[in-house]
Amino acid sequence: MNKRDNDPLLDAEQDVRTRLAGMSLDMEASNAVNNIYRAAAAVRRRAEGGVLAPHNLSWGGLTILWVLWIWGEQSTARLADECDLSKGTLTGMVGTLESQGLVVRRKLDSDRRRVLVDLTDDGSKLIADLFPRFNAFEAEVLDGLTVAERIELARLLRMVIRNTEKMAER
Amino acid sequence: MNKRDNDPLLDAEQDVRTRLAGMSLDMEASNAVNNIYRAAAAVRRRAEGGVLAPHNLSWGGLTILWVLWIWGEQSTARLADECDLSKGTLTGMVGTLESQGLVVRRKLDSDRRRVLVDLTDDGSKLIADLFPRFNAFEAEVLDGLTVAERIELARLLRMVIRNTEKMAER
DNA sequence: ACAAACTAGTTTGGTACCAAATAATCTGAC
DNA sequence: GTCAGATTATTTGGTACCAAACTAGTTTGT
């Protein structure tokens, strides 16, 4: 036996399965979660080293610009929530983007605790120009997957996200 | 029209689609990539705040212990490769694990540039005890997905990983 | 034999990221 | 009207992570 198929990733999964045989582990779960993490790290690295590099944008930075572009000016708290980042992280990253002249902070008079963040003209131009190119990168990342497979992938991952949120509620 | 279905994630995707209608973007790709990243971040946060927290282990730290457990003592370079981390990051994290008494470094006499990393007895005990619990967490993360869906998810993500590797080769 | 090229690991300098503590402001109960 | 508790953003202290520069050790070509 010991079939090899020229896919090192799959071979590695098989090696692990053999190594841990008889330990009553859920190998399908292990492989799936592993691949979620590896795929995310790989895609992020490739984006930051490629399409985002000329603009000195991190993945998180792009996400912030994108959310502001789609939904407009909003508070730090909501922005953090939309971008799936902690408030503290967001404060720092908005600072970075502000120093790059891509976003502005605005203090609210009606509630002086609150701060609204919005795109500057430069930020607006950048995201409008960059997002289509970023999207082309995303499409390249999914090269070889049919539309149905892309939709299925997104659906399965939504289930994963929902499960982790459920775990937090307890 | 304007059907809502009690899934905020899906609603958000729909909002974006409406917002960007007519821009000739690949929304299936965008949603899929977005969800890869969000799922990975969510799973990681939940693991580090849950099953890994009592042991002060990061996701990367667990990965290192796991690789050493499965494949045994190995060089820094190979370990970095297996764990999908840069050599520099690995140096730091092996340092952390070493200070926790979970791994040891060993200098090779036959080639004095090389350093092998291996589990200590404590490290070995920890990963043998922890991995089944970590695996239970992984299974919980995939709750509601059939075995076929888990396998499909892993397969689609392997394609994504392979695509990003292809992009690097150019 | 020995300099040039190469290799393995570490260090450096920087951002991103989190949780928890803090500062500033607002609200409601009295 | 005031003050105790809630709420918003920021600061703090720490790890993780990367790319690029660096250090020490090894191989190769002549």
Side-chain angles (χ1 to χ4, degrees), chain B residues 29-124:
Chain B
S30 185
N31 291 331
V33 170
N34 228 317
N35 286 353
I36 291 172
Y37 193 76
R38 271 173 196 262
V43 169
R44 179 187 179 140
R45 266 198 300 273
R46 207 59 69 204
E48 290 184 346
V51 67
L52 301 182
H55 307 285
N56 277 308
L57 278 180
S58 65
W59 185 281
L62 178 82
T63 306
I64 292 172
L65 297 183
W66 183 79
V67 166
L68 293 173
W69 188 48
I70 301 286
W71 284 293
E73 186 181 48
Q74 58 197 278
S75 69
T76 297
R78 184 177 157 204
L79 191 51
D81 192 50
E82 295 283 357
C83 295
D84 200 24
L85 294 168
S86 71
K87 283 183 306 171
T89 297
L90 201 93
T91 294
M93 292 181 58
V94 166
T96 302
L97 293 172
E98 201 171 28
S99 76
Q100 293 171 313
L102 300 173
V103 306
V104 274
R105 277 181 234 251
R106 183 163 72 86
K107 287 213 161 100
L108 255 190
D109 271 346
S110 60
D111 182 345
R112 300 179 39 69
R113 292 169 305 182
R114 302 188 66 205
V115 172
L116 299 186
V117 183
D118 200 0
L119 292 174
T120 60
D121 285 352
D122 277 1
S124 203

Side-chain angles (χ1 to χ4, degrees), chain A residues 61 63-80 83 87 90-99 101-108 113-120 123:
Chain A
T63 306
I64 292 172
L65 296 184
W66 184 79
V67 165
L68 292 174
W69 187 48
I70 301 285
W71 284 292
E73 187 181 48
Q74 57 197 280
S75 68
T76 296
R78 186 178 155 202
L79 191 51
C83 296
K87 283 180 304 171
L90 201 94
T91 294
M93 292 180 58
V94 166
T96 301
L97 294 172
E98 201 171 28
S99 76
L102 301 173
V103 305
V104 274
R105 276 180 234 251
R106 184 164 72 87
K107 287 215 160 98
L108 255 190
R113 291 168 305 181
R114 301 188 66 206
V115 172
L116 298 186
V117 183
D118 200 0
L119 292 174
T120 60

Side-chain angles (χ1 to χ4, degrees), chain A residues 66 69-70 127-139 147 150, chain B residues 16-31:
Chain A
W66 184 79
W69 187 48
I70 301 285
I127 187 66
D129 172 62
L130 182 56
F131 188 68
R133 279 184 287 136
F134 182 77
N135 185 237
F137 160 80
E138 291 176 315
V147 172
R150 291 165 195 219
Chain B
V16 173
R17 206 179 295 266
T18 308
R19 228 52 150 66
L20 300 180
M23 273 196 76
S24 96
L25 295 168
D26 185 339
M27 279 305 157
E28 282 75 31
S30 185
N31 291 331

